[in-house]
């Protein structure tokens, strides 16, 4: 008797779990204290919408003409664009390089609250050559437009730098090492002018031991201001500070980009208006909601009690997909939601419906052969699982391939597949196709959890209630 009571409670436990999970996945959990909001669990309001929904700019840059840029040059150019985006106040962006096709892919949304944002001008500004300068001090002035620009005496520009790279030097105690940026200056000038090494030697001799640093500027953005400890006359110097390997590499790339040996040009460019994106989102969500209601009615009418359970499981599956996108799960990061990503969720829900149809039909067949209700449910789920597994594994493979082929170069699946399958191709559509693969994979996994495992627990639990032992509730005939 104890076992039966425990089994009866399973349905309510599973439903309560799905309800709590769905509410937290949709609403999130946060705390508002004054004007400060602390988010503990992200909800749908925290989903980062893709450019095709929010509106924005999608542009691909590449070297002008037939120039073949190497990986270091592409990395430097990428840092230039990131710096320019930050100076424009556009912090929500995606910038990455594709070495195989010599391309730099940039995506950024419309500026919030901006009514006269000119995307073509922004793209042109991103693609122009950056000006790297070394100056005495960090003083600034303003130009005719009111923008702050450096005003210190010019020491070097990007043409005076031969190379910059990340390195590390032992500390004074000899027990550890610190990351530095090593500079190599040009030792010969053009047209009889002083070389970079000579200019730097004169400036460091003047500023050695003083409080005036030699500042490093990318256009009008200050990127570093190291102090001068001693005069440097050999054309080699180290910039030290609280660097990590990542920040030292970043600064080296920024410095190298000032002497970029190629000019970038726009290879492709498209803009999406926020009105178009939001309109598409509203239409898709409305269509999905209507379709879900029809599916729910269809499942309940055709499969009765198992159909009712299937609807509950589908709600859990949708909540699981949303939770994966928001980053609800602590062990994985969220993902940008695009319109193809929504299509991935809908496709995964279709797979979930298919799984429940297969199971519902199996239960009917077993009941028609004269088996008892408990035996019919047990055998039906066992036989249906292999068919469900085969169909979903196919979708998992497709999702993984899409995420590997169209993910950013440093994504998990891209690293694996680019070394084995896609080594001859590049990644150029991360924001769109990757989102479809991500939501499809998340939906398929949730289908196994809710559509197979949770559904079986709920149906088995309900079958133990006397009022639900009627075989007609499962599509069979009364015995």
């Amino acid at each position: 008797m104890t076992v039966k009571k425990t089994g009866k409670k399973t349905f309510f436990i599973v439903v309560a779990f799905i309800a709590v999970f769905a509410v937290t996945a949709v609403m999130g959990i946060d705390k508002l204290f004054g004007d400060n909001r602390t988010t503990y669990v992200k909800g749908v309001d925290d989903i980062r919408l893709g450019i095709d929904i929010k509106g924005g700019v999608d542009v691909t840059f590449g070297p002008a003409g037939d120039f073949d840029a190497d990986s270091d040059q592409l990395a430097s150019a990428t840092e230039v664009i990131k710096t320019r985006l930050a100076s424009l106040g556009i912090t929500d962006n995606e910038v990455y390089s594709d070495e195989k096709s010599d391309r730099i892919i940039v995506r950024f949304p419309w500026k919030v609250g901006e009514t006269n944002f000119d995307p073509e001008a922004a793209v042109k500004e991103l693609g122009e050559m950056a000006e790297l300068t070394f100056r005495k001090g960090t003083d600034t002035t303003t130009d005719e437009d009111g923008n702050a620009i450096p005003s210190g005496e010019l020491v070097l520009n990007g043409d005076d730098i031969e190379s910059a790279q990340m390195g590390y030097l032992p500390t004074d105690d000899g027990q550890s090492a610190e990351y530095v940026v090593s500079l190599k200056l040009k030792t010969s000038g053009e047209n009889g002018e002083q070389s970079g090494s000579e200019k730097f030697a004169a400036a460091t001799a003047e500023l050695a031991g003083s409080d005036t640093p030699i500042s490093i500027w990318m256009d009008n953005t200050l990127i570093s201001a190291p102090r001068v400890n001693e005069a440097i006359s050999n054309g080699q110097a180290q910039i030290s500070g609280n660097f990590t390997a990542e920040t030292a590499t970043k600064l080296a790339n920024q410095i190298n980009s000032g002497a970029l040996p190629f000019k970038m040009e726009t290879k492709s460019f498209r803009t999406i208006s926020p009105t178009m994106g939001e309109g598409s989102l509203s239409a898709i969500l409305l269509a999905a909601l209507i379709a879900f209601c029809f599916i729910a009615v269809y499942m309940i009418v055709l499969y009765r009690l198992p159909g009712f359970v299937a609807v509950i499981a589908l709600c859990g599956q949708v909540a699981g997909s949303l939770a994966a996108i928001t980053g609800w799960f602590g062990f994985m990061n969220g993902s940008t939601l695009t319109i193809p990503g929504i299509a991935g969720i809908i496709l995964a829900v279709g797979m979930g419906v298919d799984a429940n149809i297969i199971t519902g039909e199996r239960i009917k067949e077993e009941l028609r052969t004269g088996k008892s209700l408990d035996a019919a449910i047990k055998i039906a789920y066992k036989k249906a699982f292999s068919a469900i597994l085969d169909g979903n594994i196919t979708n998992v493979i497709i999702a993984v391939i899409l995420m590997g082929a169209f993910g950013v170069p440093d994504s998990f699946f891209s690293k694996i597949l680019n070394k084995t399958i896609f080594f001859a191709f590049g990644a150029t559509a991360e924001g769109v196709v990757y989102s479809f693969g991500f939501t499809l994979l998340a939906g398929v996994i949730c289908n196994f959890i809710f559509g197979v495992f949770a559904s079986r627990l709920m149906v088995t639990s309900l079958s133990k209630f006397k009022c639900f032992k009627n075989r007609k509730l499962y599509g069979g005939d009364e015995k």
Side-chain angles (χ1 to χ4, degrees):
M1 184 64 67
T2 304
V3 175
K4 289 185 178 181
K5 287 184 178 180
T6 303
K8 289 181 178 181
K9 293 178 181 178
T10 303
F11 172 77
F12 300 101
I13 294 173
V14 174
V15 170
F17 169 78
I18 292 176
V20 172
F21 175 61
V23 170
T24 56
V26 173
M27 304 298 294
I29 300 176
D30 51 31
K31 180 180 179 182
L32 185 63
F33 185 77
D35 294 332
N36 297 321
R37 182 181 296 275
T38 303
T39 300
Y40 301 102
V41 176
K42 293 182 178 180
V44 293
D45 290 339
D46 300 305
I47 291 177
R48 181 183 178 190
L49 300 176
I51 292 173
D52 57 351
I53 297 175
K54 190 177 181 180
V57 180
D58 188 328
V59 60
T60 301
F61 293 109
D66 298 327
F67 186 84
D68 184 16
D70 59 32
S71 59
D72 291 336
Q73 292 166 339
L74 283 174
S76 298
T78 301
E79 290 301 328
V80 172
I81 293 177
K82 288 181 178 180
T83 301
R84 285 182 174 272
L85 284 168
S87 66
L88 290 171
I90 304 173
T91 57
D92 183 14
N93 59 74
E94 298 173 10
V95 182
Y96 60 92
S97 59
D98 182 1
E99 298 177 14
K100 300 178 183 64
S101 59
D102 273 1
R103 295 291 186 267
I104 298 174
I105 297 91
V106 183
R107 297 186 181 93
F108 57 91
W110 296 91
K111 295 176 71 174
V112 178
E114 189 74 41
T115 57
N116 58 350
F117 180 54
D118 187 348
E120 293 189 17
V123 169
K124 181 180 179 182
E125 187 173 351
L126 289 175
E128 291 177 348
M129 294 292 289
E131 181 183 7
L132 179 76
T133 58
F134 287 61
R135 297 177 179 274
K136 296 179 182 179
T138 58
D139 294 337
T140 61
T141 186
T142 55
D143 60 13
E144 57 185 10
D145 296 324
N147 300 316
I149 58 175
S151 59
E153 181 183 344
L154 181 66
V155 177
L156 303 172
N157 58 38
D159 294 334
D160 296 315
I161 308 295
E162 183 171 326
S163 65
Q165 63 181 9
M166 182 272 289
Y168 56 92
L169 295 174
T171 56
D172 294 336
D173 58 13
Q175 301 297 317
S176 59
E178 64 176 343
Y179 289 101
V180 298
V181 176
S182 298
L183 296 179
K184 185 176 182 181
L185 307 175
K186 292 182 179 179
T187 56
S188 59
E190 297 181 359
N191 301 323
E193 297 181 355
Q194 283 187 309
S195 66
S197 177
E198 293 170 335
K199 296 176 185 177
F200 200 62
T204 54
E206 176 186 346
L207 301 178
S210 69
D211 293 331
T212 303
I214 291 182
S215 57
I216 306 172
W217 299 78
M218 184 73 69
D219 292 330
N220 298 329
T221 302
L222 178 66
I223 60 176
S224 184
R227 297 188 181 279
V228 182
N229 295 323
E230 58 184 359
I232 300 172
S233 58
N234 61 356
Q236 297 183 354
Q238 285 83 35
I239 302 174
S240 60
N242 295 321
F243 286 122
T244 63
E246 181 179 353
T247 56
T249 301
K250 180 178 179 179
L251 179 57
N253 286 337
Q254 289 176 318
I255 293 174
N256 283 327
S257 67
L260 201 62
F262 69 91
K263 181 179 181 180
M264 290 188 295
E265 65 181 13
T266 302
K267 299 297 184 180
S268 66
F269 171 73
R270 69 187 181 101
T271 62
I272 300 175
S273 70
T275 303
M276 182 185 300
E278 291 171 2
S280 300
L281 177 62
S282 299
I284 290 175
L285 292 180
L286 179 60
L289 179 60
I290 294 173
F292 188 87
C293 292
F294 275 109
I295 290 171
V297 173
Y298 174 83
M299 293 294 293
I300 293 173
V301 170
L302 191 62
Y303 298 104
R304 301 169 191 179
L305 192 62
F308 171 74
V309 168
V311 174
I312 298 175
L314 288 174
C315 291
Q317 181 180 336
V318 173
S321 298
L322 294 176
I325 296 170
T326 61
W328 190 94
F329 303 102
F331 59 86
M332 63 182 293
N333 295 324
S335 176
T336 300
L337 180 63
T338 65
I339 289 178
I342 297 174
I345 296 176
I346 296 173
L347 177 59
V349 170
M351 294 298 296
V353 172
D354 184 57
N356 284 280
I357 288 176
I358 293 174
T359 305
E361 289 293 340
R362 282 288 186 179
I363 293 176
K364 285 184 178 182
E365 291 178 6
E366 296 302 327
L367 288 174
R368 288 166 187 163
T369 61
K371 292 185 175 63
S372 66
L373 180 59
D374 290 342
I377 293 174
K378 183 177 181 180
I379 294 172
Y381 273 99
K382 183 177 180 180
K383 289 183 176 180
F385 181 76
S386 59
I388 296 171
L389 178 64
D390 292 343
N392 281 273
I393 286 298
T394 302
N395 280 282
V396 168
I397 294 173
I398 292 172
V400 169
I401 290 176
L402 289 176
M403 294 174 68
F406 297 103
V408 293
D410 59 351
S411 66
F412 174 74
F413 291 114
S414 182
K415 286 181 178 179
I416 295 176
L417 295 180
N418 277 335
K419 292 180 180 180
T420 57
I421 300 176
F422 297 111
F423 57 88
F425 302 94
T428 57
E430 185 273 341
V432 177
V433 181
Y434 180 89
S435 179
F436 175 80
F438 180 89
T439 54
L440 178 60
L441 179 61
V444 169
I445 294 173
C446 290
N447 181 23
F448 278 111
I449 297 173
F450 295 98
V452 179
F453 180 68
S455 289
R456 180 173 183 172
L457 289 177
M458 287 188 285
V459 171
T460 303
S461 175
L462 287 175
S463 68
K464 298 183 183 299
F465 288 86
K466 185 176 181 180
C467 59
F468 295 129
K469 286 186 177 295
N470 190 332
R471 296 162 65 88
K472 287 185 177 181
L473 294 175
Y474 302 86
D477 298 324
E478 184 64 54
K479 202 170 181 181

